[in-house]
Amino acid sequence: MSEAERNRIAVLIDADNVGASYVREIFNAACRFGEPIVRRAYGTPQCFQSEGGWQRAQREYGISSKPQVSNVTGKNVADIALVIDAMECLYTLPCDGICIVSNDSDYTALAAKIREAGKQVYGIGHAKAPISFRSACTKYVVLKKPAKEPPAQPEPEPRCPRCGGKLVKGWTKSRRVCLACEACGGMSAKVGLLRQTFDPGSVSAISAEARAHAVAGCTCPECGGSMSLVKVAVGKRAIEIDVCGKCQSVWYDRDEFEAIVPTDGRLSATASAGRAFRREVAAMLAADLRSGRVQAKHLGALKSIIRKVYHAPAEDVEAIVGTLLSRRVVQSTPAGLVVPQGEGAAK
């Protein structure tokens, strides 16, 4: 039977003294001495509040945190708490050894006491630990500097599968999200938009044909998979579109979306595109206000709707409100916002 199989040990970590980046190496070393049946870390509350520090280590290694609040400046109550628990492990719990993770010379007396009681005491810390503490331990393991994790790679920007141009987030006139190519005018949107033209059964058939992947199309700008070429009938025309069987995205070349879904269309831009963009949004909003589909009791609510529902950039909101006011689609009064019925037109 190996030493690790025979011993049951308590791992007590001075979290103010040894950083969370060493936790993997700490437990790799501790497991060579025995089975860590007690896993505790002691330190200030700040040690256990950082998502990238001991908080993550607690979840990954089952460590019980023991945050300690000092009542007097300059007193390290975490050290005292660690010593108290070490005595508990020594005389109460079925531990064959105690592992102290620290570089602090104050634990020298504790290590000596554990050895006098006939138990193994293991030290884990940095090379700078004083010789007094290292000598008092049965064994002492020097931690190596952890290798730096490679920085996370940023997500690649979506690119047009036709011309390689940059794709920007946009919206259709029905207020559905799409990706649009600034260079060639193509766009990507979910297959659900086809329900404006085709019945649900036909849309399901288009999705099934895409999953069958009989004819390969372009690369999907949404998920990077291979799209399928699918023919759809529009009047007397047959238009080939690229449909992704994996994420259910559809790629439309320039003007194809408007030809297939004539009741919809892509808004001219997501960032301010001048008068054309503002005119389109103002016309859509005017129709929705008159029909009652959209209601706003005051100007603040109207501006919020323009931003969140119609996806207008902040720099265009005031101009759109001005258009609605000047054409008497809405009127601002001291009592709030009044929406006249049938007055004015936002063309």
Side-chain angles (χ1 to χ4, degrees):
M1 184 183 295
S2 68
E3 182 182 20
E5 292 173 328
R6 184 174 63 253
N7 288 344
R8 290 169 297 180
I9 64 172
V11 179
L12 308 179
I13 305 170
D14 183 352
D16 288 333
N17 199 266
V18 178
S21 58
Y22 293 92
V23 69
R24 182 191 296 272
E25 191 176 350
I26 288 169
F27 279 95
N28 285 343
C31 287
R32 293 198 297 269
F33 302 139
E35 174 61 29
I37 63 170
V38 176
R39 306 178 181 201
R40 299 175 185 172
Y42 307 80
T44 60
Q46 291 79 6
C47 284
F48 308 106
Q49 293 171 357
S50 173
E51 180 65 26
W54 282 107
Q55 190 179 91
R56 185 172 62 186
Q58 291 173 86
R59 293 195 301 266
E60 292 181 0
Y61 291 90
I63 301 170
S64 297
S65 63
K66 300 289 182 179
Q68 305 295 316
V69 178
S70 179
N71 297 315
V72 180
T73 303
K75 295 294 184 181
N76 194 340
V77 293
D79 291 2
I80 304 299
L82 189 152
V83 172
I84 293 172
D85 281 8
M87 291 296 99
E88 177 194 18
C89 296
L90 182 61
Y91 294 112
T92 306
L93 299 180
C95 294
D96 301 305
I98 297 174
C99 180
I100 303 171
V101 183
S102 182
N103 310 303
D104 198 332
S105 63
D106 291 346
Y107 295 116
T108 301
L110 173 63
K113 185 65 176 179
I114 295 171
R115 291 188 67 171
E116 289 175 6
K119 298 292 181 74
Q120 301 293 313
V121 55
Y122 307 103
I124 299 177
H126 301 300
K128 66 181 180 180
I131 189 64
S132 59
F133 175 55
R134 297 172 67 165
S135 299
C137 295
T138 306
K139 293 181 181 178
Y140 186 85
V141 176
V142 176
L143 294 170
K144 298 178 181 177
K145 189 175 182 180
K148 290 185 178 180
E149 295 183 3
Q153 296 296 322
E155 289 291 329
E157 290 185 347
R159 291 287 174 178
C160 174
R162 297 295 187 219
C163 69
K166 181 180 178 181
L167 295 180
V168 297
K169 188 177 181 180
W171 289 268
T172 68
K173 292 178 180 178
S174 61
R175 296 184 284 282
R176 301 293 186 88
V177 177
C178 66
L179 290 176
C181 178
E182 297 176 322
C184 70
M187 65 169 275
S188 171
K190 294 301 180 182
V191 73
L193 282 178
L194 293 174
R195 292 191 179 94
Q196 297 179 69
T197 298
F198 303 104
D199 60 75
S202 298
V203 176
S204 297
I206 291 171
S207 298
E209 188 173 345
R211 289 192 294 270
H213 201 59
V215 183
C218 63
T219 300
C220 178
E222 301 271 3
C223 70
S226 176
M227 305 183 88
S228 303
L229 278 178
V230 179
K231 287 186 178 181
V232 295
V234 181
K236 296 182 178 180
R237 295 177 57 193
I239 299 178
E240 277 190 335
I241 57 176
D242 296 83
V243 185
C244 181
K246 182 179 178 181
C247 71
Q248 298 295 293
S249 296
V250 181
W251 176 261
Y252 303 93
D253 291 327
R254 187 181 185 88
D255 299 326
E256 282 185 348
F257 179 67
E258 287 77 9
I260 297 171
V261 190
T263 57
D264 205 345
R266 182 167 64 90
L267 289 180
S268 52
T270 57
S272 179
R275 296 178 182 175
F277 176 79
R278 293 193 289 268
R279 186 166 55 246
E280 285 187 68
V281 175
M284 292 165 56
L285 182 52
D288 289 345
L289 285 167
R290 293 197 188 98
S291 67
R293 289 192 296 269
V294 172
Q295 296 180 356
K297 295 181 179 180
H298 51 81
L299 280 176
L302 180 62
K303 292 176 182 179
S304 178
I305 289 171
I306 293 172
R307 287 294 312 277
K308 296 180 180 179
V309 179
Y310 296 85
H311 312 292
E315 57 267 30
D316 285 338
V317 172
E318 291 293 342
I320 293 169
V321 171
T323 300
L324 297 174
L325 290 170
S326 66
R327 295 179 179 175
R328 295 180 178 271
V329 177
V330 296
Q331 290 180 346
S332 180
T333 67
L337 183 71
V338 178
V339 183
Q341 299 295 320
E343 293 186 26
K347 299 181 181 179

